[in-house]
Each structure stands twice: as C-alpha cells, then as structure tokens.
Amino acid sequence: MAERKTYAEGCLAAHALDLIGDRWALLVVRELMLGPRRFGLIRAGLPGIATNMLARRLEDLEAAGIVVHRTLPPPARVPVYELTSHGRALRPLLLELCRWGVGVPGHDPRLPISPTSLMLSMEAMMRPGPGSFTAGFDLGAESFVVTVEGPRFEARPGEAARAEMRFSAPPNDMAVAIYGSALLAQVIASGRVSFTGDPSRGQAFVDLFRLARP
C-alpha cells in the first residue's frame, strides 16, 4: 500500500480528512452505509470509479479502521466489506452533505445515482408528517424496505413485496417519482415507475419528501 498523504496538522478536521478526504473515499462509505456488500455491488454503485481505485480505497479505509473485510457465515460464505462503528458514525455527515449540497447551485439530478444514494437522500430530505408507512423499492439489482413513523426513517435491504406499497424503477426514474413536481399517478401513467398498493397512501408517502434543504 502506498504511503498515505497527510495534512500534517493537529486540527481534528484535518485528521478526519487524512482518513476520509481522498477522492471516492466517502462515496465508498456511502455504498456500505445500509449493510455489508460484495466488491462487485460496491463497484456497481460507483460507475465512475476504476476497479483498481476502488480496491485501493477499500484497502485505505480498512487500514484506517473504517471498513472491515470478512466472510459471511453459512450458507452465504461470500466475502464482503462492512463498515466498522467508526464508519457507521459517518452517517450524519453524509446526510448533512446531502442537505448542504441540495442548496448549492449546479446539482444535476440527471447524472447517475445508486440505489443506496437514493435511500440516503430520502432520509436527508424527508419532512416528517403524521402517520406511518412501509414502502418497498425494487431498484434493479437491489431492493429495500423503507419504514417511516413520524420523524423516524429507516431503510434496510429486504424483499420489497413485504411492504404495504411497492415501487419498481431504476434509481433515477424513482427519484423523479419521489422528488418531481408531477403527481404519483402521472408518473405511473408515464410508465417510468411501477406501483402496487393504495394510490392515495402512495401519494401521501411521496409527499413527505422534497428535494430542497429542510
């Protein structure tokens, strides 16, 4: 492993940037925030990263105590990367970066987004309302179940069919349904998103989210 560069400062912010400030490092952490993943699935969520760069960043994050590489127990028995407690503690930082970034001009929502980045952006952009919801999301190779109860938002990998409502679409099309100005029924009619469940409940769920700084 190449020697890591450092700011050589006693500042705690500089120390943190020594660990996670390299290009792609925080985005690798983002892809692991909702659970352990195999190398290929991390790579799929970061279409702009070269394979050797991803391997290097995972190695650096492991050396920093932010990521661990382990093998899942039977029957899976597959190697995965997983965040440590230090890595999971970066979640508030990622959410605040979403909230900060949405208020800065220049964001292009047409660029690729990963399933995990959509889930985290929804957590960051939610405006709590009354009631509770369970929504399943089929996002291509990945599925999630989102639970909302008042101000609490939880997204976890899981079978979308178990939720009271189910959305199916590629991540960028799903973002249009969640954040766009059109009613959910109009987005469904356009064919960009498939939906199963009570349409009024689906609209009430979508209305919890705005692509704007809370």
Side-chain angles (χ1 to χ4, degrees):
M1 180 174 64
E3 184 178 352
R4 289 182 58 82
K5 295 181 180 179
T6 175
Y7 288 103
E9 289 190 14
C11 166
L12 288 173
H15 169 60
L17 288 172
D18 283 343
L19 301 176
I20 60 169
D22 285 331
R23 181 171 170 80
W24 295 108
L26 262 181
L27 298 187
V28 173
V29 170
R30 179 198 72 195
E31 289 303 302
L32 294 171
M33 194 55 70
L34 299 183
R37 297 190 164 206
R38 300 182 69 174
F39 184 93
L41 195 55
I42 303 171
R43 175 73 178 81
L46 299 166
I49 195 171
T51 300
N52 62 340
M53 174 61 74
L54 176 56
R56 190 182 315 157
R57 286 294 167 262
L58 286 166
E59 186 179 85
D60 291 342
L61 291 167
E62 189 173 5
I66 295 168
V67 166
V68 292
H69 190 203
R70 67 182 182 91
T71 300
L72 292 177
R77 294 185 183 277
V78 294
V80 296
Y81 293 89
E82 185 175 19
L83 294 178
T84 65
S85 59
H86 291 304
R88 292 190 298 273
L90 289 167
R91 191 186 195 110
L93 175 60
L94 282 170
L95 297 178
E96 283 304 317
L97 280 173
C98 288
R99 296 179 185 120
W100 181 82
V102 77
V104 179
H107 172 239
D108 187 350
R110 297 169 298 180
L111 294 174
I113 56 175
S114 73
T116 295
S117 66
L118 176 61
M119 294 294 103
L120 291 174
S121 80
M122 289 172 62
E123 182 175 355
M125 297 292 110
M126 189 179 81
R127 285 159 171 74
S132 60
F133 303 85
T134 58
F137 287 83
D138 284 324
L139 303 171
E142 300 184 64
S143 296
F144 296 89
V145 175
V146 169
T147 302
V148 173
E149 295 181 359
R152 189 177 73 87
F153 177 102
E154 180 186 10
R156 63 188 186 280
E159 178 51 55
R162 298 179 182 177
E164 64 162 307
M165 66 186 79
R166 180 179 180 180
F167 298 82
S168 299
N172 282 72
D173 287 339
M174 192 72 73
V176 172
I178 298 297
Y179 295 127
S181 58
L183 294 174
L184 177 61
Q186 295 173 314
V187 180
I188 295 169
S190 74
R192 299 186 73 170
V193 171
S194 296
F195 176 80
T196 303
D198 181 341
S200 64
R201 291 278 293 168
Q203 185 64 58
F205 173 78
V206 168
D207 286 344
L208 295 174
F209 305 94
R210 294 287 184 278
L211 195 61
R213 187 173 181 84

